[in-house]
Amino acid sequence: MLESIRVTEKLHWPEHELAKKSVLNAEEQLIIDSKRSFSSLSSGVLKDTFTTGTSSYNVLLQTKEERKHHSQKQFSSTFSKRRRKPSKSPSSSNILKDPHRMTALVPVTSTGSSLALPPKPKSKVKCRSVTPLPKPKQQPQLCRSFEKGDDLSGKKLCILTAIKPINLEKEKLRFFKSDYTYNPQFEYANPALPGVLAKYSNASDRFLKQSIKIMELTLQKYGSYEKFEQATGGSLLTKTRIWSHVRKYMLKEGCLGEIVVHLTEDLLSRASMTVVNGCPTLTINISTAREHWLEGMLRHEIGTHYFRAVNNLQQPWNSWPGRKKHELKPNNPTEEGLASIHSVLFRKDPFLWRAALLYYTVYQASQMSFCELFKDIGKFVQDPNTRWDYCVRAKRGWTDTSQPGCFSKDQVYLDGILQILRFRDSIDFHLLTALGKVSYEDVDRLKELAVTENMRVPHFLHDHSRYMEHLEKIMEVNELTDAELKALM
């Protein structure tokens, strides 16, 4: 599947919540000898160690310096006490009881119900124990800081869980069998309250003209979205190459060893940054991981969401009472707008296609039935499966999709992008990241109150002039003008 060229704008719902899966954290990792078979480990250990349900795997990326330093220390202390070499793999009981043992795991592949190691590496791999990474100083606040939607803790997760249809595949089959004439009737395990849905049912047409123009410009140059994706995204990456790209990026940002990385095909979006079992966790959808777009995704998730979340911990507004006290505006649309800009920042043709299509689809959903929407967006996206995914995303939360109605959250991406581009010359982007989860509108007011020492700023913000040049290129490629944006805002 990964080797073929196809439409990969997958927006599938997870079969299981990621938080319910077994994700390794810094104090529960295992030492595994790559020369030994997994058959020596009990099924209980495997269940606790590896994610089930997909062929993906988890790994806490460690720095070479940490491994080297601790292995030397381990070598000295072990041999002075025991004066012998360990001859057996650690038993499952010892592994589970010792909270201070952890490793960088060897990737595994799933073959049916069994787990198998990849081909044995040419060089001999030694078992090494690595010093556990220190926990974040303010773990509960870190969890809250990854809420990219509302600032109230937990609301975003509850909403997205409540609007997830439980009969998605069944309704998709009926829709396709009807030759796209049946309006799906979605069911929900724990439906969202009417008041909550009402909050997200109002779509805006403020940037509708711009969203259409952006997509038309892309089609004029490439003929179709599918050709644009193939020409600019490059080939789909194997798991091994994804790991290589992620490691290189983390080294560049100085955050290697801080984030658990999880690969899956079962994700709503291309990637997400969350906190799972106390660890910052980056989940990547491997069915959308393209060669030339992967680093943009890492700039989006790590360079923007992760760094702003970590910086937020040090600020006086790192909690909801703190935000209320300092009268902070909502962090969106700035948060997602900034991250979306960073996704396309260094592309040869930084078309804002995805943000534009999401904005357009949401607005049209507020005016159309599911069938009408599916037909309407066919002028931009040819593939029926991709169109289905976008329609579901815009209609989620609704039961009877024969009626006009939308879930409007996805308009935040283009909204945020255009606001930031409108005021790009007056925004201090370095401070916007250093101050944490704040709106660009609050930066000047908060900078005198902020903690700015030892803040984390991504590498691509270090060269301000180069950064601004690429913002200008985004304006140019998408044919946006300052006069146009000024009239809108």
Side-chain angles (χ1 to χ4, degrees), residues 84 135 275 309 317 347 359 460 473:
R84 65 182 179 86
K135 291 182 178 180
V275 174
W317 45 84
R347 289 186 189 177
Y359 190 96
F460 52 85
K473 184 173 182 180

Side-chain angles (χ1 to χ4, degrees), residues 396-428:
R396 53 185 167 166
W398 293 79
T399 299
D400 181 6
T401 65
S402 67
Q403 301 301 313
C406 70
F407 181 70
S408 63
K409 179 185 175 295
D410 282 340
Q411 288 194 320
V412 74
Y413 301 100
L414 186 63
D415 189 343
I417 289 170
L418 297 184
Q419 287 195 45
I420 289 171
L421 291 177
R422 159 68 176 87
F423 298 103
R424 66 191 183 283
D425 292 329
S426 61
I427 294 174
D428 186 329

Side-chain angles (χ1 to χ4, degrees), residues 32-46:
I32 299 178
D33 188 338
S34 64
K35 296 171 63 178
R36 296 182 179 273
S37 167
F38 278 103
S39 62
S40 63
L41 297 177
S42 68
S43 59
V45 174
L46 292 177

Side-chain angles (χ1 to χ4, degrees), residues 56-61 105-108 237-250 256 259-263 282 284 286 294 298:
S56 60
Y57 46 91
N58 302 312
V59 62
L60 183 62
L61 297 175
L105 293 183
V106 182
V108 297
L237 297 172
T238 62
K239 291 178 181 178
T240 301
R241 292 190 66 194
I242 292 174
W243 288 122
S244 177
H245 281 278
V246 171
R247 181 180 176 82
K248 287 179 182 177
Y249 184 82
M250 288 185 176
L256 191 64
I259 301 169
V260 174
V261 177
H262 175 77
L263 303 186
L282 172 63
I284 300 173
I286 59 176
L294 185 62
L298 296 173

